[in-house]
Amino acid sequence: MRKGLFGLLAGAAIAFSACQGAATPSPAASSTPQASPSAATSPSPAPSPTPIDYESLLFAYNYNPTPGTKGGKVIISDWQAANQLNPAYSNAFANSQVYAATMRALFTVTADGHWKPDLAAKMPKFSDNTIRPDATGTGFSVDLELRPNLKWSDGQPATMNDLKYTWQFITDPNNPGISTVGYDEIDKIDVTDDLHATVHFKEAFAGFYGVIGGFFFPQHYFTTVDIKNANKSLYPLSPDIKNAVTIGPFKYSTASADTIELVRDDNWAGPADACGGAACLDAVTYKYYPDNKDGMIADFLAG
């Protein structure tokens, strides 16, 4: 590739030979031969730097959840309200808190700072040739694999055709107010079968893990509305959100400007975490106090 996907930093150790001092000449009247100067001693070369294990740097996460207890509910509050539940249009923190429960991604970043497969079966790597440069040297391809048996919240299977549709949806010129950064570096996605696809980038692009490892959307749900209205019609802040299609341990029950209620999604077949795959909690409620932090604290103290 013309531009390397990873920059390697190497320190150069430069050893300087010690300068020899000039020998002191013998007195002119003396016939004693001049002593030869002592040979200069060169310092030992600096040790070579320890090679960096880039795959450990990227992927060596340490995540071992303790067993959870199934059942119960929790209320989560914030003084900033979630106002857009379609992750195609917003990554604001209040919104992202909800997406974490309802719209999982192919990859995630762990608390100790490493990439971890989430809906993907594994991380693509250079070492196993699932990431490889083109013969032309300009672009590169990435092979992706989904976990088997993934389902959307309505029971429909999640497949690589949904991933391809997501790229087409985001780059559609009729889609208003959406960022295409990274997705516009992709020039094709070849779907091999429901679980396998190859994403082709037309040039070197360092942010590829974040793009292909992000959210992907249910084609059968997104195509029920005109793409020009997708930012308003999908995942509405209304009781109709119960019909929205998600992929995560929770799905929507109801939503309004100040309250979002989630219930366990029994179709969730993602990573088996604390409760064996299904969510431990029965329900989660997000209760918002827009621009009223004092009111939120007062209600917390009052129980």
Side-chain angles (χ1 to χ4, degrees), residues 27 64 71 114 117 156 179 181 200 204 214 216 226 238 241 279 298:
N64 295 298
H114 300 281
Q156 292 291 319
S179 172
V181 173
H200 183 263
F216 72 117
D226 184 347
S238 75
I241 201 170

Side-chain angles (χ1 to χ4, degrees), residues 54-221:
Y54 287 101
E55 291 208 347
S56 293
L57 183 67
L58 290 169
F59 310 122
Y61 58 86
N62 182 18
Y63 177 64
N64 295 298
T66 56
T69 300
K70 202 164 185 177
K73 301 177 181 180
V74 67
I75 299 174
I76 301 171
S77 288
D78 201 331
W79 63 275
Q80 290 180 310
N83 59 8
Q84 173 56 268
L85 298 180
N86 188 335
Y89 299 98
S90 175
N91 62 357
F93 184 70
N95 300 328
S96 297
Q97 287 180 309
V98 184
Y99 305 153
T102 59
M103 292 297 290
R104 296 282 281 265
L106 265 68
F107 312 148
T108 189
V109 177
T110 61
D112 56 354
H114 300 281
W115 284 109
K116 176 181 180 292
D118 199 25
L119 298 183
K122 59 183 181 179
M123 293 298 305
K125 303 176 182 179
F126 289 94
S127 62
D128 62 7
N129 204 41
T130 51
I131 305 173
R132 56 196 175 278
D134 290 346
T136 60
T138 55
F140 64 103
S141 296
V142 184
D143 294 335
L144 295 175
E145 181 179 350
L146 277 180
R147 290 177 179 270
N149 304 315
L150 289 177
K151 293 181 180 180
W152 298 102
S153 58
D154 62 356
Q156 292 291 319
T159 75
M160 281 300 185
N161 288 309
D162 294 306
L163 177 72
K164 183 174 182 177
Y165 168 78
T166 300
W167 164 60
Q168 294 169 334
F169 172 84
I170 290 175
T171 57
D172 191 317
N174 294 312
N175 196 344
I178 194 167
S179 172
T180 61
V181 173
Y183 292 94
D184 55 3
E185 298 286 347
I186 298 171
D187 58 5
K188 66 177 178 177
I189 297 179
D190 295 322
V191 176
T192 306
D193 55 40
D194 285 352
L195 300 182
H196 300 87
T198 298
V199 180
H200 183 263
F201 288 84
K202 54 192 174 185
E203 60 184 359
F205 176 63
F208 69 97
Y209 274 126
V211 172
I212 60 177
F215 300 114
F216 72 117
F217 306 130
Q219 181 177 6
H220 66 284
Y221 173 54

Side-chain angles (χ1 to χ4, degrees), residues 220-239:
H220 66 284
Y221 173 54
F222 272 52
T223 51
T224 60
V225 303
D226 184 347
I227 195 169
K228 295 179 180 179
N229 297 317
N231 62 337
K232 298 178 181 178
S233 300
L234 300 171
Y235 306 102
L237 283 169
S238 75

Side-chain angles (χ1 to χ4, degrees), residues 10-16 43-49:
I14 304 175
F16 292 92
S44 300
S48 300

